[in-house]
Amino acid sequence: MKLQKLLSYVRRAVDDYHMIEEGDKIAVGVSGGKDSICLLIALKHLQRFYPKHFELEAITVSLGLPGAVYDDIQALCDSIGVPYTVVNTDIGQIIFEERKEKNPCSLCAKMRKGALNTKAEELGCNKVALGHNKDDVVETFFMSLFYEGRINCFAPVSYLDRSKLYSIRPLMYVPEWECRSFVTKSGIDIVKNPCLADGNTKRQETKELLAELSKDYDNLQEKVFGAIKRSQIKGWNGEI
């Protein structure tokens, strides 16, 4: 995928759900994976021509696990002129050593989000951009159905009462394979996920199930995504 196509996806999502307003200061959550790298680059390029002016801050929440090196992200941020902050935490130790969580993803996500939001507030940001792509939308919908027994999905734009921040998801129209293609063709190095549960999660199981179903049902992802957009799930019909 070329940069122009990535920007067209992001611009459409931003415009459809009014994700960016004049004077916003947006914290970009950067794990170092393909999605967050795409998000950072897309927003930086969008910043150059978008009619509403906004600032960017890149933030990485480190879980404190061995093997995570963020030098390449620092170099990328330096090259495109985005301030970069690493938040060092002991989340990995708490989850895997102290609590020994069998299903760590939910708690880890909450703790990482909390650390990200806290730093975003400290930096004076009013919005946090997250790198959820189109596949993530569909997978989250099915995970909510399978494991929680409810029709739900995260919203394109959410207001976080406790932190007084908005979270936005500008990659929501970008298929995962296109994120991977963009990063590969751009020659950008991604950070290997040091998480001990990487590749062995409920999300991965859901991803594999949907891949199998897609063999029998044409355009499954597009149909489910379209159904979510037309649904009354909070945040998808214009209500935050």
Side-chain angles (χ1 to χ4, degrees):
M1 178 173 65
K2 294 183 178 180
L3 176 61
Q4 186 175 0
K5 187 174 184 181
L6 173 63
L7 286 174
S8 69
Y9 280 127
V10 170
R11 175 69 185 266
R12 183 157 59 93
V14 168
D15 287 345
D16 284 355
Y17 289 92
H18 310 288
M19 295 184 183
I20 296 176
E21 299 297 341
E22 180 70 30
D24 280 345
K25 188 172 184 180
I26 303 172
V28 185
V30 183
S31 67
K34 64 184 187 314
D35 300 323
S36 63
I37 293 297
C38 276
L39 176 62
L40 177 62
I41 292 174
L43 288 179
K44 181 59 185 178
H45 281 275
L46 185 68
Q47 185 185 43
R48 293 170 178 164
F49 64 84
Y50 199 64
K52 298 176 181 178
H53 299 89
F54 60 93
E55 299 178 55
L56 294 173
E57 291 273 354
I59 303 174
T60 293
V61 176
S62 172
L63 302 185
L65 296 170
V69 180
Y70 303 109
D71 294 349
D72 288 337
I73 303 178
Q74 181 69 69
L76 173 62
C77 289
D78 290 343
S79 69
I80 62 176
V82 176
Y84 178 56
T85 303
V86 176
V87 181
N88 293 305
T89 75
D90 54 2
I91 293 174
Q93 178 182 342
I94 292 171
I95 289 177
F96 293 109
E97 297 181 20
E98 296 178 13
R99 296 177 60 102
K100 295 181 171 58
E101 292 282 333
K102 293 182 179 179
N103 297 301
C105 297
S106 178
L107 178 59
C108 181
K110 289 178 181 177
M111 294 179 74
R112 284 187 290 115
K113 187 175 293 185
L116 174 61
N117 292 345
T118 297
K119 180 53 67 175
E121 283 187 276
E122 290 176 4
L123 294 172
C125 299
N126 66 313
K127 291 182 178 176
V128 176
L130 304 174
H132 295 112
N133 59 46
K134 193 173 192 176
D135 294 57
D136 291 325
V137 174
V138 175
E139 290 160 14
T140 300
F141 172 82
F142 277 104
M143 288 173 68
S144 180
L145 183 63
F146 293 157
Y147 302 114
E148 299 176 352
R150 62 190 184 122
I151 305 296
N152 193 46
C153 184
F154 54 71
V157 179
S158 304
Y159 181 64
L160 312 174
D161 291 315
R162 289 185 180 180
S163 57
K164 310 300 182 186
L165 293 168
Y166 286 89
S167 65
I168 61 175
R169 294 174 167 89
L171 293 186
M172 54 173 280
Y173 288 151
V174 186
E176 183 178 26
W177 72 267
E178 298 226 43
C179 286
R180 186 179 299 108
S181 171
F182 175 79
V183 170
T184 299
K185 291 179 179 178
S186 300
I188 300 170
D189 293 324
I190 63 172
V191 176
K192 176 70 174 71
N193 188 351
C195 178
L196 303 179
D198 186 34
N200 186 31
T201 64
K202 295 299 183 184
R203 182 170 293 277
Q204 184 62 33
E205 290 179 12
T206 305
K207 185 185 295 293
E208 292 171 2
L209 173 61
L210 290 172
E212 285 299 312
L213 290 173
S214 294
K215 295 177 183 179
D216 297 321
Y217 300 96
D218 293 339
N219 299 316
L220 177 64
Q221 185 192 72
E222 290 296 328
K223 291 173 182 175
V224 174
F225 188 85
I228 294 169
K229 282 197 68 178
R230 294 187 298 273
S231 75
Q232 295 301 307
I233 296 175
K234 185 177 180 181
W236 288 90
N237 57 8
E239 177 188 355
I240 298 176

